[in-house]
Amino acid sequence: QVQLVESGGGLVQPGGSLRLSCAASGSIFGIQTMGWYRQAPGKERELVARITINGYAYYTDSVKGRFTISRDNAKNTVYLQMNSLQSGDTAVYYCNADLSQHDSSGIYTYWGQGTQVTVSS
């Protein structure tokens, strides 16, 4: 069984910073791409940032220059450093990972349970 557990969400004032973490555990053989998505009330889930096993990062336009995604392959962990936070960043943030397991073939996508980020004064 594979689990992704996020941490680091909370309440922050506009202009503030938060760092999200997501650790994958279980019978993992290898993790390809890891990413962060978010879903605001009444809106669809959207991609925020993704990072490949080689460290190539993609960001959605609204967070470029403010958010930084990184990963520690030895710890199966992905991070999202969020700076200059705005009210529009308020959402539940989910991590996901495309990974393979020791006891099965193929690459599958797993999701974390989500962590709330609220930007408000």
Side-chain angles (χ1 to χ4, degrees), residues 20-44:
L20 305 182
S21 300
C22 172
S25 63
S27 181
I28 298 170
F29 179 74
I31 301 179
Q32 299 302 309
T33 300
M34 304 186 82
W36 290 95
Y37 289 70
R38 66 186 179 187
Q39 187 166 18
K43 294 187 177 181
E44 294 186 354

Side-chain angles (χ1 to χ4, degrees), residues 12-63:
V12 64
Q13 292 185 341
S17 298
L18 282 176
R19 188 191 193 211
L20 305 182
S21 300
C22 172
S25 63
S27 181
I28 298 170
F29 179 74
I31 301 179
Q32 299 302 309
T33 300
M34 304 186 82
W36 290 95
Y37 289 70
R38 66 186 179 187
Q39 187 166 18
K43 294 187 177 181
E44 294 186 354
R45 190 174 298 189
E46 65 169 351
L47 173 64
V48 176
R50 299 187 77 190
I51 186 167
T52 68
I53 190 171
N54 296 317
Y56 176 79
Y58 164 85
Y59 299 92
T60 194
D61 286 345
S62 63
V63 308

Side-chain angles (χ1 to χ4, degrees), residues 95-112:
C95 73
N96 81 345
D98 299 328
L99 59 86
S100 56
Q101 295 182 255
H102 287 290
D103 55 355
S104 66
S105 61
I107 296 176
Y108 300 92
T109 300
Y110 290 84
W111 291 87

